[in-house]
Structures are given as C-alpha cells and as structure tokens.
Amino acid sequence: MAACVRTYVLDDQGLFEGLKAYRAANQQGSYMLFRPEENARRMQHGAERMCMPSPSVEQFVHAVKQTVLANRRWVPPQGKGALYIRPLLIGSGPILGLAPAPEYTFLIYAAPVGTYFKEGLAPINLVVEDSIHRAMPGGTGGVKTITNYAPVLKAQMDAKSRGFTDVLYLDAVHKTYLEEASSCNLFIVKDGVVATPATVGTILPGITRKSVIELARDRGYQVEERLVSIDDLVGADEVFCTGTAVVVAPVSSVTYHGQRYEFRTGHDTLSQTLHTTLTSIQMGLAEDKKGWTVAID
C-alpha cells in the first residue's frame, strides 16, 4: 500500500519587519509601540514586489499588539531595553517549481533586547566595502526581503574580525555613492546641513530614518535626500546611522581604502540630540505631538 506524503516547502518568497515595544514611563502594565502602521505599510509594499498577499494594516497592528501582551513578562524594565518584535511573511505549501507559493504564513517572533552594537551607546567604527554589494538597481534592495541580508554576512564577518563595528556599502554601478550599512541607514552632517542617501530602489526606506528626517527639520536643519558620495562622507563633520535596532548610532570613524576618517561625537552633536528626542517619544518620557506612538494596555 503506497503512502501519500504531502510535503510543504518554504520557497524564496519571504519578508520580515522589525519594531520594538517599550514599557511606558509611569504607567504600570502599559506598553508603547512606535509607528507600527508604517511597518505594516512597508510589508504591504514589499509583498507587492514579491508577488505575495499581505495582512492589512489593521491585521498587522492587532497581531503585534497580541504578541506583546502574550509576552509581556519579557518586556525589559523601562530604560533597560525593549521587546524586539519580528513579523515574518513567508511563502509555504507544496511547491518545488519557480512560482509564487500556493499559500503564505504570517507569524511573529519576539525577544527582549538591549543595545544592538557591542559598543552599546558608544560611537561605532565602520569600514567601506567596495567589492561586495548589498543591492543593485532593479533588485529588491528597497524592500525588507529575506534575500537582502544573507549576502552581507561575509563582508560583515570580515569587518568584525578586523575590529570594525559594521560595513558601509557602495552603489553597485559607480562604486562611488554610499547606500547603507548592513542593517541601518546613513546620515552625514556638514556645515549644519544634513544629507542622507535617497531611497531610489536599492536602499531600504527606514522608519527611524523617516522619523529622524522629520525631527531634524523640526529643529531647523536643512535635510537633503540625494546621492551621497565618498567625498561627501570623508569631508563630513558628523556621521550617524539610524534603524529600529540601533535607533541613532554616532559614527566615530570610517575607514576607506586603508585611510581612517574621524568625525565629531559627543553630547553637543545632532545625533545625540536626535537619539534623546526619539527615545523619549518612544518610551513615553516626552509628549508625542506627532501621534507616532501606540499604547497597549
């Protein structure tokens, strides 16, 4: 008698998101999410690119809230970290061929976290990579697909073995323009003007990036979203990275072709100001005048 076995195979379609839940300041049993609807919309955008269905904004946010409540005992104390939330949308079902999956699974992981880099809140040191590229025009660099991260591991491991914190990647065409680090966006400051690489399909449109641009403009800074060259970088006064995991991370130095370039860090920098402003909003320590936070009771 022949056995009938139905095999489920995860295919190459996969998207994920990342956001944090914080214990709300001075509110026992209350938690804060930061702009979760933006994560939901970014997943929808990525799903369209990857030929996948996606949860609605309401479904996404509801699922995140329920995940936080189910794992409330793992949310670190106020000011000691956050519950990192990893929504994942993957293709699944009985398929081996190159085609969209017949069904999809949406699930959410959660884990308590502290600071992302081993340096904690101390300035980080980056190295520019010009032979391995994170993304290329026409690819999927602008969406948070699972295929964008494994390719950077080799360069990242090599950089860390040489004492660097992370890697900065260049565009794949001219090898002249900065794109982003392995998991975060980049900003430079020169003569009071802030610049960040434009998200034109090869760079992930970070939610922290979007928030930082708005906060910097609120403080009167001119913020430019444009091509940012290596020359722009090495001539900058200040450099910092942004992302859900890193929040706002000041960059102490960048090494390019063996030359180390150093930048201003410390309490009187824009990155420090933005970090304090943003985290205060995220944790409920400052008034949220923009409606960015979502409370979970």
Side-chain angles (χ1 to χ4, degrees), residues 87-232:
L88 179 63
L89 179 65
I90 54 176
S92 55
I95 184 172
L96 292 175
L98 181 61
E103 63 183 48
Y104 296 84
T105 301
F106 176 61
L107 64 154
I108 301 176
Y109 294 95
V113 296
T115 55
Y116 181 74
F117 293 124
K118 66 180 179 64
E119 289 86 351
L121 298 177
I124 61 177
N125 300 287
L126 306 177
V127 61
V128 176
E129 172 61 59
D130 59 4
S131 60
I132 295 177
H133 299 283
R134 178 189 165 275
M136 68 289 296
T140 56
V143 297
K144 205 169 178 69
T145 170
I146 57 177
T147 59
N148 287 348
Y149 293 86
V152 307
L153 295 179
K154 181 175 177 58
Q156 189 182 59
M157 290 176 63
D158 178 64
K160 289 185 176 182
S161 73
R162 294 186 286 144
F164 297 106
T165 310
D166 205 347
V167 181
L168 279 179
Y169 298 92
L170 300 179
D171 74 286
V173 178
H174 303 98
K175 299 185 179 182
T176 299
Y177 299 105
L178 298 167
E179 299 229 310
E180 58 182 300
S182 299
S183 61
C184 44
N185 296 116
L186 180 77
F187 286 78
I188 67 170
V189 184
K190 177 67 174 179
D191 297 331
V193 177
V194 182
T196 186
T199 55
V200 289
T202 57
I203 298 172
L204 187 71
I207 296 162
T208 306
R209 172 188 180 276
K210 180 178 181 179
S211 305
V212 160
I213 289 173
E214 189 169 335
L215 290 174
R217 286 175 174 159
D218 287 349
R219 290 185 167 272
Y221 284 88
Q222 177 183 338
V223 182
E224 301 173 345
E225 298 180 71
R226 59 172 175 82
L227 294 175
V228 178
S229 69
I230 280 288
D231 289 340
D232 292 329

Side-chain angles (χ1 to χ4, degrees), residues 17-19 34-43 60 207:
E17 275 298 328
L19 62 161
F34 184 72
R35 309 188 78 173
E37 72 286 345
E38 292 289 335
N39 296 91
R41 294 188 188 105
R42 189 167 64 180
M43 176 168 277
F60 182 100
I207 296 162

